[in-house]
Each structure stands twice: as C-alpha cells, then as structure tokens.
Amino acid sequence: FRDRMEKNKLQQAQDIGLSEVEFAFFMTLQKEVLEKFPKRGNDKKLQAEIITCTTELVEMLDEATRVVDFFNRESEKKEVMLKIRRTLSDCSFCDVTEDKKMVASITDEFMRLAEVKFRKA
C-alpha cells in the first residue's frame, strides 16, 4: 500500500514537472493558497504560478541549507525566512500585508520541510 502511495506521489510530481522534494513543498503551498481561494482549484494559471514559486523557493532553500550548521544558526534561518516572504510577496495569490497568517504558516512549514529534506546528517 505504501509503495503504491509513493509511486502515485512521484507520478503526480512528474506530471507537473517537479521533483519528489519539490512536490512536498508544492503541496504545502497549494493547500494554503486553495484555502484562501477555494473556487480556484482547477485554475491552471494559478497552479502554474504555485509551481514557479515552489521551484524558486526550493532552489533557494537547497542553496541556503548548504551552509555548515544552517539549522542551528538563527541569523541564517531568519535571512531565509525573509527571502521566503519576499518571494511570496511577488506572487499574485499573496499580499504579505493582508495575508500575514498565511505567509507565516507557509514560511514555518517550508522551514520544517527544509529541515526534513535538506538537513545533512
């Protein structure tokens, strides 16, 4: 059962042009955006923007987490969190002044996911 779920998740990621790691971040961002815009679930333009935003953020997180001991360095983490907010502010689905709760939720979840996906042993 678990193998089928993993294959299904990988297939979904490939169908929209994302890696398995990117797909985890995409699902998080999409969930938040669709909570704000529940009637836009089938909006291809919105989905494309979420995909673009996700790939930008994952690339930035991957690079940032290469810093030695990144997850124990508060200044580095704060800088990345600010970059996440700035990236979100460029998206049509997010107004960082009005959507503070959504931005905080996305930022926190992306940082948690980054720790799971990019933490070096």
Side-chain angles (χ1 to χ4, degrees):
F1 177 73
R2 183 181 173 122
D3 287 343
R4 278 189 310 197
M5 284 183 58
E6 290 299 319
K7 286 180 185 175
N8 188 29
K9 197 170 20 170
L10 183 58
Q11 186 60 51
Q12 287 179 319
Q14 290 173 344
D15 288 348
I16 59 173
L18 297 175
S19 70
E20 191 173 352
V21 169
E22 290 170 326
F23 190 67
F25 288 90
F26 168 79
M27 293 300 291
T28 297
L29 183 55
Q30 179 177 267
K31 176 186 168 284
E32 291 289 337
V33 172
L34 292 181
E35 281 181 15
K36 181 179 177 183
F37 302 107
K39 294 180 180 179
R40 293 185 64 189
N42 293 323
D43 185 333
K44 298 297 181 190
K45 185 176 178 183
L46 178 62
Q47 184 179 27
E49 186 176 14
I50 295 170
I51 290 168
T52 300
C53 184
T54 299
T55 56
E56 286 177 28
L57 288 169
V58 170
E59 184 178 303
M60 182 269 300
L61 285 164
D62 184 31
E63 183 178 319
T65 57
R66 292 177 190 199
V67 170
V68 175
D69 209 25
F70 171 82
F71 292 101
N72 294 319
R73 298 174 77 180
E74 290 303 314
S75 62
E76 296 288 335
K77 291 189 328 187
K78 286 181 181 179
E79 185 177 324
V80 166
M81 292 169 74
L82 182 59
K83 287 180 181 180
I84 292 170
R85 288 185 194 103
R86 285 183 183 149
T87 300
L88 291 172
S89 72
D90 292 338
C91 299
S92 69
F93 56 77
C94 186
D95 181 337
V96 292
T97 56
E98 291 181 18
D99 301 321
K100 290 180 182 181
K101 188 175 179 180
M102 181 177 94
V103 170
S105 177
I106 292 168
T107 302
D108 291 345
E109 191 58 31
F110 270 45
M111 292 302 289
R112 277 192 286 278
L113 277 170
E115 190 158 5
V116 170
K117 303 294 184 181
F118 300 121
R119 186 177 211 59
K120 310 302 184 251

